[in-house]
Amino acid sequence: MPLVTGARVRVPFGRRRVVGLVWETDATAAIEASRLRRIERVLDTEPVVPDGLFALLKFASSYYQHAPGEVVAAALPRALRDGEALWPEASEWQPEPALDAEMLQQLLQRAPQQFEVAQQLINADVLAHETLSEAQRRALKALADKQLVRRVNVQLAPPAAPAITLGESPPLNDEQATALAMIPSDFAVTLLDGVTGSGKTEVYLRAIARVLEQQREVLVLVPEIGLTPQLLARFEARFGFRPIALHSGLTDAERLANYRQAAGGAARIVVGTRSAVFCPLPQLGLIVVDEEHDTSLKQQEGFRYSARDLAIVRGQLEDVPVVLGSATPALESLHNVAAKRYRGARLTRRAGHAVPPTVGLIDTAVHGTTDGLAGPMRDAIDRHLGDGGQVLLHINRRGFAPTVICSDCGHILECHRCDARFTLHAAQQRLWCHHCDADAALPERCPACGSGSLRALGAGSERIEQALERFYPGETIVRIDSDSTRRRGALEAALAKATSGAARLLVGTQMLAKGHHFPGLTLVGVLNADQGLFGSEFRTAERLSQSLVQVAGRAGREDRRGEVLIQTDFPTHPLLATLLESGYAGFAKLALDERHAAGWPPFAHLALLRAQAKERATVWSFLDAVKAAFDVPGGVSLYGPVKALMERRAGRFRAQLLLHASERGALLPALRTLRPMLDDLVQRHRVRWSLDVDPVDLA
């Protein structure tokens, strides 16, 4: 059987037999003969990864300096990696030429059961094995022994693509119409920079409709599973069918079934989280990346890739347009618009009759808080509930309290595996480390002094929920965070209550801060804005600004004007002042000027080499050896090693080296030189290392 790139094979690997993907077929490939393995079996006659997608995988492996196997593992469902057929097969019985009228007459006289099933087979031409009774199967087996019928495996055809039934669509305003006109039919990147509630999704829907009319397919990327239910429902209402979903909440069987539909051309629209960028779509016509600024689009473990950036590369490779949408675009995207690499479309006003919410600050140094809520915040909640409104309280911290301290000796309960404090989860009366998942029972007494004066400090989403239950006993409260939505279907049920207005008090983390549309929501309260005001990472201010603007945008999206209140100990902080006076656009302009002066992205390009080991000395020895052995090329600077912001995590010490270059063209060759060196050094130092190109987090 001939080999083709993108097809799977089975090869020996030690004592195991593993499935691999044909990466190259050129006999002159620069691989040592000792590293090659003989192929035992070719599993596919056609590629499971089509040409355009295969080119994306090769680019990703080269750009991010990750082994091809890690890249393929991110792209293929587990079942395909384990060797299951891309297209399922069915077993069926077919007649042989010897089964003629004379033979049927003989069977009628000698074997009535065989005659009956043979007659059915001739009339139907084919009988599916799975639909037969045990007696029929025995009769067919006897006929096969006489060479009158044969049993064959046939490949099932992929399901047909769903029919499109266009639903009613609202008229576009002039800004939306202009934005839609800017999206071409071939490759270009268009940044749809629209304030919250400005109708970005309607522009997506119109662009998608054009592509569907051409019998082509659409890929829509979203940063989190939480954004998919409302989006899927809206697409179904507009187009008359439910798009295919691809995300981490699916079972292996569901992921394989959806992958098959997409590969077979039966998925007109695919909506998924970051790994969906690798979904096969034979007639791809448009890629949309919603909330393109969101760091969840960057994989942070294993194969570290940016789904947004790879979506752009895929658009270029397959010559299809890419639309990036956000109310708070990444500074890199805004810079690319300014540099004319992207097209820029602005939506500056809310769609319909909705108007922007009013925004105010509550000085918690003056008013103080009870269970995380200041008096003016309580007054505002009372007022909005009294007027029939809905309230969302945003606190980007799950659990009951982030710190448990002894009032007598000052001892703080800390994770024994991380440089981090335990978070109290009151419902289970357990302490939880949100970095390594270690947990322990809440002790009755201080482990340091034996006092019974342990006290919970600070507030998380669970504490806010309990406070609301005391203050508003008659109201339905929904808490949405990663703890409350672990069970399958829990997120969808919670969002349904929030959207319908059945729950008038909502408490949530970042999961509620973006993308959702709650028609009755009139008040948004931000309870822990100060958490990001004094971060040590250069992107901290950008992320806080995006979070505040996004969550504020949930308020007043229908006819009633919304209100946003932000609790802070620092009401005169320059970042808050800029956001209140000039909005996100004003912040972005100042932030880009600062980045340019400091030489940070998007005016520079970074790669981060992280290392971790059980012993601190092992980590530093490895990174020192890397620094000594690496001949840093011109145009590239190497900084460090330095310890990570959280040096010890999950029982391992962590440190890192930073590569910095003004030009991407200088950084990538340096990484290609560095990468093979790491494998040699790691054998001697016994560390885990990772190379993160274009890191979004330097911690």
Side-chain angles (χ1 to χ4, degrees):
M1 188 181 294
L3 280 179
V4 291
T5 55
R8 294 167 305 155
V9 294
R10 195 177 295 278
V11 296
F13 198 79
R15 296 183 178 181
R16 298 180 296 141
R17 298 294 183 269
V18 299
V19 175
L21 193 79
V22 178
W23 198 252
E24 292 182 356
T25 58
D26 188 349
T28 63
I31 300 178
E32 299 173 15
S34 61
R35 297 179 62 193
L36 296 176
R37 298 288 183 272
R38 182 175 296 278
I39 294 172
E40 290 187 342
R41 183 184 172 197
V42 178
L43 300 181
D44 305 304
T45 57
E46 299 292 333
V48 294
V49 179
D51 290 345
L53 188 53
F54 189 74
L56 181 69
L57 298 186
K58 298 202 80 168
F59 169 87
S61 176
S62 173
Y63 182 82
Y64 291 108
Q65 289 297 298
H66 274 268
E70 293 177 323
V71 178
V72 172
L76 292 182
R78 179 182 295 275
L80 294 183
R81 303 199 306 269
D82 290 343
E84 187 166 337
L86 174 60
W87 305 116
E89 292 184 339
S91 179
E92 58 185 40
W93 294 91
Q94 299 174 358
E96 294 280 18
L99 189 62
D100 53 19
E102 182 180 347
M103 180 55 66
L104 280 175
Q105 187 62 33
Q106 295 179 23
L107 291 173
L108 177 61
Q109 297 171 357
R110 300 175 183 175
Q113 276 192 323
Q114 293 177 27
F115 167 79
E116 183 178 346
V117 75
Q119 187 69 59
Q120 291 177 13
L121 181 58
I122 288 178
N123 292 339
D125 195 41
V126 164
L127 288 178
H129 183 77
E130 289 75 11
T131 65
L132 300 174
S133 68
E134 192 59 38
Q136 289 174 314
R137 292 177 183 179
R138 286 196 300 269
L140 284 166
K141 176 66 169 59
L143 291 172
D145 291 341
K146 299 173 184 176
Q147 297 184 342
L148 298 177
V149 301
R150 63 181 179 275
R151 183 178 173 181
V152 297
N153 290 330
V154 295
Q155 191 177 93
L156 295 178
I164 301 171
T165 306
L166 282 179
E168 187 176 345
S169 57
L172 299 180
N173 61 35
D174 55 345
E175 289 184 334
Q176 289 173 311
T178 300
L180 180 63
M182 293 180 67
I183 302 172
S185 58
D186 53 2
F187 173 69
V189 182
T190 304
L191 176 64
L192 190 56
D193 178 1
V195 300
T196 53
S198 58
K200 293 184 292 295
T201 303
E202 183 58 36
V203 177
Y204 300 159
L205 291 169
R206 296 293 187 103
I208 290 169
R210 294 191 316 202
V211 172
L212 296 180
E213 288 173 358
Q214 300 164 4
Q215 301 302 308
R216 302 185 73 183
E217 299 146 353
V218 179
L219 173 62
V220 181
L221 297 180
V222 295
E224 295 179 2
I225 298 174
L227 296 179
T228 57
Q230 281 193 344
L231 205 55
L232 291 173
R234 190 161 179 187
F235 282 10
E236 185 174 12
R238 177 62 59 89
F239 300 118
F241 65 91
R242 196 163 185 82
I244 295 298
L246 287 174
H247 52 72
S248 60
L250 301 177
T251 65
D252 288 341
E254 289 169 334
R255 178 172 287 274
L256 176 62
N258 289 354
Y259 189 94
R260 282 170 168 165
Q261 287 199 60
R268 293 183 180 272
I269 303 173
V270 171
V271 178
T273 49
R274 56 179 174 258
S275 63
V277 73
F278 301 115
C279 177
L281 290 165
Q283 297 295 325
L284 183 61
L286 173 67
I287 301 174
V288 175
V289 184
D290 194 28
E291 307 294 353
E292 64 86 29
H293 67 279
D294 199 294
T295 56
S296 296
L297 290 166
K298 177 70 186 283
Q299 172 70 25
Q300 302 282 32
E301 299 290 339
F303 169 37
R304 292 166 166 81
Y305 65 93
S306 165
R308 178 197 63 195
D309 295 349
L310 286 184
I312 293 169
V313 174
R314 184 171 184 181
Q316 187 172 26
L317 289 171
E318 302 196 35
D319 195 27
V320 299
V322 179
V323 178
L324 310 179
S326 177
T328 54
L331 297 186
E332 287 85 352
S333 298
L334 292 172
H335 176 64
N336 281 326
V337 171
K340 307 298 183 185
R341 287 188 283 269
Y342 296 174
R343 303 178 180 193
R346 293 289 311 279
L347 303 179
T348 61
R349 62 182 187 272
R350 288 190 158 185
H353 302 294
V355 296
T358 61
V359 182
L361 302 178
I362 297 174
D363 188 344
T364 48
V366 173
H367 295 284
T369 62
T370 300
D371 286 330
L373 297 174
M377 185 70 76
R378 284 278 314 279
D379 294 340
I381 294 171
D382 293 342
R383 186 173 71 254
H384 282 264
L385 291 179
D387 291 341
Q390 188 182 44
V391 176
L392 165 62
L393 297 180
H394 175 261
I395 180 164
N396 199 28
R397 183 186 286 139
R398 60 191 175 96
F400 184 83
T403 301
V404 178
I405 189 172
C406 175
S407 299
D408 289 345
C409 73
H411 177 73
I412 295 175
L413 302 186
E414 295 183 333
C415 175
H416 59 281
R417 305 178 69 218
C418 301
D419 294 333
R421 299 170 179 178
F422 271 128
T423 296
L424 172 62
H425 288 249
Q428 297 87 15
Q429 284 295 286
R430 295 195 72 79
L431 302 170
W432 217 299
C433 177
H434 290 175
H435 301 281
C436 74
D437 270 346
D439 69 320
L442 177 67
E444 294 182 1
R445 296 187 171 277
C446 172
C449 71
S451 165
S453 301
L454 291 176
R455 189 159 62 97
L457 293 183
S461 55
E462 187 183 4
R463 188 170 200 159
I464 300 302
E465 179 187 31
Q466 290 189 15
L468 292 177
E469 287 172 348
R470 291 198 314 274
F471 297 145
Y472 306 99
E475 293 289 348
T476 300
I477 302 167
V478 164
R479 172 166 61 93
I480 297 182
D481 56 27
S482 57
D483 294 326
S484 66
T485 57
R486 289 182 189 275
R487 288 184 298 102
R488 189 175 179 88
L491 176 60
E492 290 80 358
L495 288 173
K497 284 185 179 180
T499 304
S500 68
R504 294 208 300 158
L505 284 170
L506 315 178
V507 180
T509 57
Q510 281 298 103
M511 293 179 69
L512 273 183
K514 57 215 169 190
H516 300 293
H517 178 72
F518 304 126
L521 186 63
T522 55
L523 173 65
V524 168
V526 180
L527 304 184
N528 63 339
D530 296 348
Q531 189 177 359
L533 288 178
F534 302 101
S536 57
E537 218 260 9
F538 76 93
R539 285 192 173 90
T540 300
E542 178 184 6
R543 290 177 185 165
L544 176 59
S545 300
Q546 289 166 339
S547 176
L548 290 176
V549 172
Q550 289 283 342
V551 73
R554 302 311 106 205
R557 294 167 67 96
E558 295 286 340
D559 293 335
R560 296 177 59 180
R561 185 162 196 171
E563 181 180 10
V564 179
L565 293 175
I566 302 171
Q567 293 186 173
T568 175
D569 282 343
F570 308 96
T572 60
H573 191 283
L575 174 59
L576 296 177
T578 300
L579 286 175
L580 263 61
E581 293 172 10
S582 308
Y584 184 77
F587 158 78
K589 184 179 184 308
L590 290 175
L592 281 168
D593 290 342
E594 291 176 357
R595 296 268 188 96
H596 186 266
W600 285 115
F603 304 98
H605 304 277
L606 308 178
L608 197 64
L609 174 63
R610 297 183 176 93
Q612 56 177 292
K614 292 183 178 179
E615 302 294 333
R616 179 186 284 115
T618 305
V619 176
W620 288 89
S621 174
F622 170 70
L623 292 178
D624 285 338
V626 172
K627 189 169 185 178
F630 183 43
D631 185 12
V632 183
V636 178
S637 298
L638 186 64
Y639 299 105
V642 297
K643 67 180 182 180
L645 290 179
M646 182 185 293
E647 184 184 17
R648 188 170 60 99
R649 181 172 180 176
R652 291 180 173 269
F653 291 91
R654 308 185 304 149
Q656 54 203 35
L657 283 168
L658 179 67
L659 287 83
H660 177 287
S662 298
E663 300 295 334
R664 197 183 303 274
L667 181 61
L668 295 182
L671 295 176
R672 294 188 186 107
T673 302
L674 174 65
R675 175 64 179 80
M677 180 191 307
L678 298 175
D679 286 329
D680 295 333
L681 290 172
V682 77
Q683 298 300 324
R684 288 182 274 153
H685 293 82
R686 297 183 179 278
V687 301
R688 295 178 184 173
W689 62 268
S690 63
L691 192 59
D692 191 353
V693 182
D694 302 332
V696 296
D697 185 355
L698 298 186

